[in-house]
Amino acid sequence: MIIGKFVIKYDAMELVIDLDKIKDASKREWLINSLKLMRIGFDTQEKRQTLDEYNEDLERGYAQVQRGEFTTVEDLKIEAAKW
């Protein structure tokens, strides 16, 4: 069983989820299984990001946006409606 916080990283985006706040074990399990199914990597150990790593993440994210590699909220709603 995984408890505590874990970090989801996708390109320049980072999301920290505190699993301790999800009281229902089945919901925690569902979340973890969903992330695995979608092949979204996550790290269950928090570690401090260096300033260089942070700046590199920002540069990669900015370059992605400049290339048009992003999803709008409208596109995401359309995609989610297909699920």
Side-chain angles (χ1 to χ4, degrees), residues 59-80:
E59 289 173 13
R60 277 194 305 274
Y62 181 74
Q64 267 189 295
V65 171
Q66 293 299 88
R67 291 190 305 266
E69 297 174 3
F70 58 87
T71 301
T72 65
V73 171
E74 292 79 20
D75 291 340
L76 186 58
K77 287 178 183 178
I78 291 168
E79 182 67 27

Side-chain angles (χ1 to χ4, degrees), residues 20-82:
D20 293 334
K21 292 185 178 179
I22 303 174
K23 300 300 179 196
D24 186 335
S26 64
K27 289 181 181 178
R28 281 194 305 265
E29 183 83 15
W30 175 87
L31 174 61
I32 292 168
N33 288 333
S34 296
L35 293 171
K36 288 177 182 176
L37 180 66
M38 293 185 287
R39 295 189 175 124
I40 297 174
F42 58 92
D43 184 3
T44 58
Q45 297 178 9
E46 291 185 61
K47 52 190 167 223
R48 194 167 240 191
Q49 186 178 40
T50 67
L51 183 57
D52 287 337
E53 291 170 331
Y54 174 76
N55 288 331
E56 288 171 11
D57 283 349
L58 287 178
E59 289 173 13
R60 277 194 305 274
Y62 181 74
Q64 267 189 295
V65 171
Q66 293 299 88
R67 291 190 305 266
E69 297 174 3
F70 58 87
T71 301
T72 65
V73 171
E74 292 79 20
D75 291 340
L76 186 58
K77 287 178 183 178
I78 291 168
E79 182 67 27
K82 297 176 186 177

